[in-house]
Amino acid sequence: GPIRGYSFDTLVAHQALWGEEPHDLGYLGSRYLDIDRWKEEVKGGGGTMYRVPEPVFRIYNATDAAGTLAIVPHLEAELETAGPSVKGLFERKMAVSHLARRIGARGLFVDQDRLEEVRSNYMGRIEVCLKVLRRISGNPSVDPNKTRDLRDVIYRRFKAPVTARTPKLREPTLKADLLPRLRPYVPPDGKEFIDQYLIWKSSTKIESTYLRSGWRDNGGGLHGIEIINGVVHSLLSVTTAVTDRWSSSSPNIQNLPRGDPDDPESDVRAIYVARPRMKIYSFDFAALELRIDAFQAGDQALIDMFAEDLRLRRLGVPKKQRPDTHTITAAVCYGLLQEQITNNMRQAAKNTIYGAEYGAMPKRILATIRANAEDSGDPTMIRIAYTMTERDVQDMLINWFNRH
């Protein structure tokens, strides 16, 4: 940050110099200072950084500050020898980094009445799902958060085949993401249990991550939103993503759940509103990556589609009456007609293509598909996402790249 009029961001500098490497301070310390990755001290002190003893926390932060200052001269020297193009890239990235900080500091205004309405909606869903899960399981105290309880219901009550065992004792275990795959092997009430569990899991995640005020540590990090004077300040970063895209967290304002289109009170985006006498504008690249693909590959069908879309835009034709890019690309990925593509298939194909565009492998793409499905709250979409495999993603990519 700025010190006596001087501003230098070690992470931005390292990204400009070595874009493919990690950019966290722990890595930079091990690379330039020949010291251990001091971030590991935290794990030795009690798990996550939110649970460490105070002496360890002090050492952690002091090393962050001292390490940063010690790393700066090394990066400055590398920038001097890297040439004007890299230095220019660093200066542009620094300008963007400052912009991200200003946007984060300004924050987003929250309609707190609307927040309570949306949160109450999700809390109601969670309560209903919990009642159904306990009724179907025959256990009034079943806790869907506990793997043991899920295992007992699925394996003992519904007699599903054992899909995983513990490494040492070889006892049956059950991961939540395997439940949709077991759905064909359980009776009708077992299918209902799995469907209700998926809705419960999705609603719980949305409520705890995007709607509950105040920070909480559930063992895997902080969750929730912190509202200060009616404003939420998301953390925006220009170095977290290897693709140079911005990322945000606490909360992730770039990927707020839309919820159920038929239920306005499930739309998390609706809680963020413009300040008095101001407006919120949304800007979109309109499938820019696919347009570049079409041009570079010489795909005349896609080029013609984009040209027609542009013509209809200029005529003021509503979006629903124009060609849908992602339905067309999904048809290619699945090898089906456009009329056969569902909304769920469209979203999965969109995640797959864009993930591949930015260098993600099938495993990462599949994780994105599942995360987006959970945020949607749509049980059908969640079930489809969790029954997909990495091979399915790979086949979609093969179909897409074979076209080009």
Side-chain angles (χ1 to χ4, degrees):
I3 300 177
R4 296 178 183 174
Y6 178 70
S7 179
F8 188 94
D9 191 315
T10 54
L11 305 188
V12 171
H14 188 256
Q15 188 184 55
L17 286 161
W18 310 102
E20 298 301 317
E21 293 185 9
H23 307 301
D24 62 277
L25 280 176
Y27 174 78
L28 267 60
S30 66
R31 189 182 196 278
Y32 293 103
L33 306 180
D34 194 28
I35 61 176
D36 291 334
R37 298 185 68 161
W38 66 85
K39 305 291 185 181
E40 299 303 318
E41 286 288 327
V42 175
K43 294 181 180 178
T48 70
M49 66 179 294
Y50 314 109
R51 293 183 173 183
V52 297
E54 186 175 341
V56 176
F57 194 71
R58 288 179 178 177
I59 294 172
Y60 178 91
N61 283 283
T63 313
D64 260 7
T68 299
L69 289 175
I71 291 167
V72 169
H74 296 274
L75 291 171
E76 287 179 325
E78 288 188 347
L79 284 170
E80 283 299 319
T81 59
S85 61
V86 175
K87 289 182 67 176
L89 176 62
F90 167 67
E91 291 170 359
R92 292 193 296 274
K93 284 179 175 290
M94 280 295 297
V96 173
S97 179
H98 289 315
L99 175 62
R101 289 196 190 99
R102 289 199 298 272
I103 293 174
R106 183 163 182 78
L108 285 172
F109 198 71
V110 176
D111 182 337
Q112 299 201 47
D113 292 336
R114 183 65 174 161
L115 169 62
E116 286 305 313
E117 290 175 2
V118 176
R119 182 167 182 261
S120 295
N121 178 285
Y122 278 97
M123 290 298 293
R125 290 187 184 192
I126 293 168
E127 185 178 352
V128 169
C129 288
L130 192 56
K131 287 180 179 178
V132 174
L133 291 174
R134 288 173 173 172
R135 173 181 57 80
I136 297 174
S137 67
N139 180 356
S141 61
V142 70
D143 184 352
N145 273 314
K146 295 180 178 179
T147 301
R148 180 185 59 191
D149 286 7
L150 287 177
R151 180 191 62 198
D152 289 345
V153 172
I154 296 299
Y155 291 148
R156 295 182 181 178
R157 182 174 178 82
F158 298 127
K159 309 300 182 184
V162 175
T163 56
R165 294 182 180 274
T166 56
K168 292 184 178 179
L169 301 178
R170 305 302 297 166
E171 293 180 345
T173 186
L174 180 65
K175 294 182 179 180
D177 60 359
L178 292 176
L179 280 174
R181 300 184 193 177
L182 293 175
R183 196 173 182 276
Y185 305 104
V186 296
D189 52 348
K191 291 179 172 62
E192 185 183 0
F193 182 92
I194 291 174
D195 290 346
Q196 289 295 320
Y197 172 80
L198 294 175
I199 299 173
W200 173 88
K201 186 170 182 284
S202 170
S203 300
T204 301
K205 175 188 173 185
I206 292 173
E207 187 276 329
S208 64
T209 304
Y210 298 101
L211 300 172
R212 195 183 304 175
S213 300
W215 299 111
R216 297 163 324 288
D217 181 9
N218 65 358
L222 290 185
H223 291 267
I225 57 174
E226 185 177 17
I227 302 175
I228 303 174
N229 297 326
V231 176
V232 167
H233 300 276
S234 177
L235 304 177
L236 295 170
S237 171
V238 299
T239 59
T240 302
V242 296
T243 59
D244 273 357
R245 297 184 73 161
W246 287 27
S247 64
S248 69
S249 59
S250 305
N252 180 3
I253 59 173
Q254 294 175 299
N255 194 30
L256 294 171
R258 293 179 182 271
D260 184 349
D262 298 324
D263 182 5
E265 291 191 357
S266 68
D267 187 1
V268 174
R269 299 184 181 202
I271 71 176
Y272 296 102
V273 296
R275 288 175 170 83
R277 300 185 300 281
M278 301 187 76
K279 294 182 178 180
I280 292 179
Y281 288 90
S282 176
F283 297 89
D284 189 272
F285 283 121
L288 178 63
E289 296 90 342
L290 290 179
R291 294 172 189 268
I292 295 172
D293 275 352
F295 175 77
Q296 290 184 332
D299 190 323
Q300 195 59 46
L302 277 181
I303 293 172
D304 291 343
M305 183 203 69
F306 284 124
E308 177 65 8
D309 178 68
L310 180 60
R311 185 184 72 83
L312 295 175
R313 280 172 182 263
R314 289 172 174 170
L315 292 175
V317 176
K319 182 177 180 179
K320 290 185 178 181
Q321 297 178 24
R322 303 198 304 266
D324 182 61
T325 305
H326 300 299
T327 297
I328 293 171
T329 54
V332 174
C333 288
Y334 285 100
L336 300 172
L337 298 174
Q338 293 181 39
E339 295 77 17
Q340 297 174 287
I341 299 299
T342 65
N343 287 335
N344 300 327
M345 296 165 72
R346 176 186 181 277
Q347 184 63 43
K350 180 179 177 182
N351 294 149
T352 299
I353 294 172
Y354 278 98
E357 292 283 356
Y358 288 96
M361 300 301 287
K363 182 177 181 178
R364 176 60 187 161
I365 293 172
L366 183 58
T368 301
I369 291 173
R370 290 175 175 176
N372 287 340
E374 287 190 0
D375 286 345
S376 74
D378 182 341
T380 303
M381 188 171 181
I382 297 170
R383 187 165 63 243
I384 291 174
Y386 275 97
T387 51
M388 288 183 67
T389 64
E390 290 182 39
R391 178 66 190 183
D392 294 327
V393 174
Q394 189 172 354
D395 288 343
M396 292 167 68
L397 289 173
I398 290 172
N399 288 338
W400 175 248
F401 288 118
N402 280 346
R403 176 184 175 110
H404 300 117

